[in-house]
Amino acid sequence: MRRWTDRRTWRWLPRRLRFRVLGLIDVIALWVLVGALVGGGAWWGVGAYLDSRTYCTADHELRRVGEAGECVGVTARPYAFEPELKGVLDRIARENAKARASASPHRKVVSVAVVMPYSQKTEGAAMSKSLILHALQGAYVAQYEHNKGSTTRRSAIQLLFANVGEYLGYWPDVVKELSARSRDGVAAPVVAAVGFPNSDSRTLASVRGLEKAGIPSVSAALSATDMENPYLFKVSPSNAQLVDALKQYAERTDVDREKAFMIADERDDKYVSDLRGVMLKKFGADYGLTNNAVRRTIETYQGKKGPERGDKQDFKESVEAMCEVGTRTVFLAGRDADLQPFVDAIDHTGSCRYGPDDPLRILRVSTARDPVTESPAIREKADRLHIRIVTAAAVDAPRWERGEGETPRHFGRFASAYERSFTDAGKRALNDGYAVMYHDALAAVSNAVKQSSESGDREVSDDDIQGQLRKGSPQDDCAMCVQAAGGDFTFVDADENADNAGVGQWPVCKPVPIVTFPEKNRSGAPLYRTYERPHSKCPAL
């Protein structure tokens, strides 16, 4: 026992500390101390490890969730959600830093959240990586235009990256954080949110959550007519307006009414269920679209988007039924990703036979001309099978870049700014429409921030933005309109709403071009513009 209690025998202890004091009691005390230090270190290590597993950033702004390890939450820092996003996130972060540094009593800095998914981990995700990239690029161009503009010197915009997850399911985290950042006294308060790419119940829930905090939302791409809330503004035409543009085209061309058919996504998805209903309402009676047991002209399939399991995009039975009745006009009520497998199914169905003077026309709607829907593979099959694809879209970038048709007056300025900022983006980067639509969503907020900041040196609030977004009219050559790349517009209020849209806050005078593929549109039909009537003309583009 002596060698354990006599410090003079402890060779591991420095010589000057080898003195005898209380023997065994000292030993116990020393080992308790060592145990506490080791335990504390281990606990700290475990805590740090758990933090790294739970959070993506040291400041805990982004939380790691799900099997794929998505990083959800709100940050102004350029976190690498996807490697492809690094360049644009860095640009926005630098612009954010400049905006914050410019704050003064005469220059108000506000935050606008870009609410959407920031990663694609699975095939059915709400947004693809390319759409996410282009959306952020468009938002950056609008942010830069505001912060460097000669007419917006009294305000600056900081963008927040608000990731709700690839299936939009983590919106409560984002809403809670944005609400906290909108309170009085917060530096660069949140005054609005933009984005919201999908017509989905989770999107509407997030909008309602932001409404409780008084934060208005401006969607870049929502089009389902039941996406309604007093605090939700939509930059895209509604499904009803897109289908109205299709109907205007059909009435001026030789679209076959007698041999019509509908193939629709059957999922309980706000976008596709609304589109099914709108197409039936607008075309059903005149084109004989019916579920009648004797003469059935409607078939369904399960679309690609969403986490649901099943035989997705299996068009075999639907196409066989369509071709057996000699269909010449088919309404496809689905998403862009469904077009190629639909055309593939036609190619593999022996009963589908068309000719150059007797083609099959596919009528559909879309945000724009997604490169996936105009791929070389689809072009080859459409030419060979004599298929004509007719799409009512919110954006027709390829034709606008060539200066063909009626090009929006501010599209050229936007396209030039985009090319200067993203020199490696590629020639088809604008085709999917997301850069244009996200630019225009932020441009609407920018216009409201500008108007609000001109009223003096007081802080700009979310109430100010909500009020300004409701103002404006296309009268007087659209002087008070949003100067948008996709065509100048204002938002219609609920009291002025027409029958062909939802409750309100859809864009007024928004152009809806008709795109035909693979042949160009030579119909000569006038350009459809939302809410335009013979007695109420929109100003020239």
Side-chain angles (χ1 to χ4, degrees):
M1 175 65 76
R2 178 180 178 128
R3 65 189 183 93
W4 296 106
T5 60
D6 191 345
R7 291 185 179 180
R8 291 173 296 180
T9 66
W10 293 356
R11 296 185 179 276
W12 52 271
L13 195 64
R15 184 180 299 275
R16 66 179 180 276
L17 297 179
R18 295 180 194 173
F19 54 88
R20 189 181 183 91
V21 181
L22 295 176
L24 184 59
I25 295 176
D26 283 345
V27 174
I28 294 172
L30 180 62
W31 283 111
V32 168
L33 177 62
V34 170
L37 291 173
V38 171
W43 179 255
W44 179 87
V46 169
Y49 170 73
L50 290 176
D51 262 8
S52 70
R53 296 269 295 178
T54 305
Y55 295 98
C56 305
T57 55
D59 56 15
H60 292 189
E61 287 185 328
L62 299 176
R63 182 168 63 90
R64 199 180 306 278
V65 297
E67 294 181 4
E70 281 191 277
C71 295
V72 301
V74 179
T75 184
R77 303 176 189 277
Y79 181 79
F81 297 97
E82 295 281 3
E84 297 88 344
L85 303 182
K86 185 179 187 309
V88 65
L89 293 174
D90 285 345
R91 279 181 174 271
I92 293 173
R94 288 195 294 270
E95 192 60 37
N96 285 347
K98 292 176 183 177
R100 292 192 298 268
S102 72
S104 75
H106 304 296
R107 184 173 170 87
K108 306 305 178 185
V109 180
V110 297
S111 293
V112 178
V114 184
V115 180
M116 66 178 194
Y118 281 73
S119 59
Q120 179 199 7
K121 303 298 183 184
T122 57
E123 190 178 24
M127 292 178 75
S128 67
K129 291 180 182 179
S130 62
L131 293 183
I132 296 168
L133 173 63
H134 297 156
L136 288 169
Q137 289 173 336
Y140 167 77
V141 173
Q143 179 194 26
Y144 185 88
E145 286 175 343
H146 182 98
N147 292 352
K148 299 297 188 293
S150 59
T151 62
T152 52
R153 292 174 180 171
R154 297 181 66 86
S155 60
I157 291 175
Q158 169 181 247
L159 292 183
L160 301 178
F161 311 123
N163 186 12
V164 293
E166 67 171 344
Y167 290 115
L168 318 177
Y170 296 97
W171 62 267
D173 301 59
V174 167
V175 167
K176 181 179 179 181
E177 179 61 22
L178 294 181
S179 299
R181 295 189 185 211
S182 70
R183 293 170 185 153
D184 293 342
V186 174
V190 173
V191 297
V194 301
F196 309 96
N198 290 63
S199 298
D200 186 280
S201 58
R202 288 158 291 193
T203 296
L204 206 50
S206 64
V207 170
R208 289 168 179 157
L210 292 173
E211 177 194 6
K212 292 178 181 178
I215 301 172
S217 302
V218 182
S219 165
L222 296 183
S223 60
T225 55
D226 59 353
M227 296 297 290
E228 298 290 354
N229 183 277
Y231 277 69
L232 177 59
F233 298 80
K234 284 81 66 173
V235 170
S236 170
S238 70
N239 281 343
Q241 293 164 333
L242 291 165
V243 173
D244 266 352
L246 274 182
K247 190 172 184 179
Q248 177 177 283
Y249 168 87
E251 289 171 348
R252 289 167 171 78
T253 57
D254 57 349
V255 171
D256 195 325
R257 295 188 178 200
E258 303 301 321
K259 300 176 181 178
F261 206 91
M262 173 186 279
I263 295 183
D265 188 341
E266 67 182 0
R267 291 172 307 138
D268 185 19
D269 170 307
K270 274 188 174 293
Y271 171 75
V272 294
S273 62
D274 180 72
L275 183 57
R276 284 196 308 265
V278 169
M279 281 188 163
L280 281 172
K281 180 180 179 182
K282 303 288 184 180
F283 289 102
D286 292 341
Y287 285 73
L289 304 177
T290 176
N291 276 318
N292 184 286
V294 176
R295 188 181 180 276
R296 183 180 175 87
T297 55
I298 301 174
E299 292 290 346
T300 61
Y301 68 97
Q302 186 181 88
K304 178 179 179 181
K305 293 293 183 183
E308 300 89 352
R309 297 184 180 276
D311 296 326
K312 296 184 179 181
Q313 297 180 320
D314 183 356
F315 288 95
K316 184 176 183 296
E317 293 182 0
S318 298
V319 168
E320 287 176 349
M322 175 190 84
C323 292
E324 282 176 3
V325 297
T327 299
R328 291 298 182 267
T329 301
V330 58
F331 297 91
L332 182 61
R335 296 183 183 272
D336 286 345
D338 301 328
L339 181 62
Q340 181 159 341
F342 177 55
V343 173
D344 289 345
I346 296 173
D347 190 23
H348 295 141
T349 303
S351 57
C352 297
R353 291 289 181 268
Y354 308 101
D357 298 323
D358 190 25
L360 171 69
R361 284 188 173 86
I362 302 174
L363 274 61
R364 56 189 291 272
V365 306
S366 178
T367 298
R369 300 174 63 172
D370 192 312
V372 173
T373 66
E374 296 188 6
S375 66
I378 291 185
R379 178 181 290 276
E380 184 276 328
K381 289 174 182 175
D383 278 331
R384 174 166 51 82
L385 299 171
H386 306 291
I387 294 173
R388 303 293 176 260
I389 302 166
V390 181
T391 306
V395 178
D396 187 1
R399 191 159 49 175
W400 293 347
E401 286 179 305
R402 295 191 298 267
E404 298 177 1
E406 297 181 67
T407 302
R409 72 176 87 179
H410 294 111
F411 176 79
R413 185 184 69 188
F414 162 77
S416 297
Y418 181 88
E419 290 171 8
R420 286 194 304 271
S421 299
F422 306 104
T423 55
D424 58 346
K427 293 183 178 180
R428 305 180 74 187
L430 297 181
N431 289 17
D432 60 36
Y434 270 64
V436 171
M437 299 301 281
Y438 272 70
H439 168 275
D440 291 356
L442 187 56
V445 175
S446 167
N447 190 56
V449 170
K450 172 190 170 185
Q451 300 298 331
S452 299
S453 61
E454 288 178 350
S455 59
D457 291 339
R458 67 179 183 81
E459 297 295 330
V460 175
S461 71
D462 45 21
D463 288 339
D464 294 328
I465 305 307
Q466 169 76 358
Q468 290 294 338
L469 286 170
R470 289 178 174 275
K471 294 181 180 180
S473 168
Q475 297 175 357
D476 300 323
D477 199 29
C478 227
M480 295 298 293
C481 291
V482 178
Q483 296 184 1
D488 295 0
F489 65 89
T490 60
F491 294 108
V492 67
D493 198 10
D495 294 337
E496 304 170 36
N497 185 52
D499 292 336
N500 67 333
V503 172
Q505 289 152 193
W506 296 93
V508 182
C509 289
K510 174 78 175 174
V512 183
I514 295 293
V515 177
T516 58
F517 182 83
E519 295 181 350
K520 292 183 179 180
N521 181 7
R522 297 185 176 89
S523 68
L527 177 66
Y528 179 93
R529 299 185 65 186
T530 59
Y531 296 99
E532 187 173 54
R533 297 290 182 272
H535 61 278
S536 181
K537 287 290 186 181
C538 292
L541 282 175

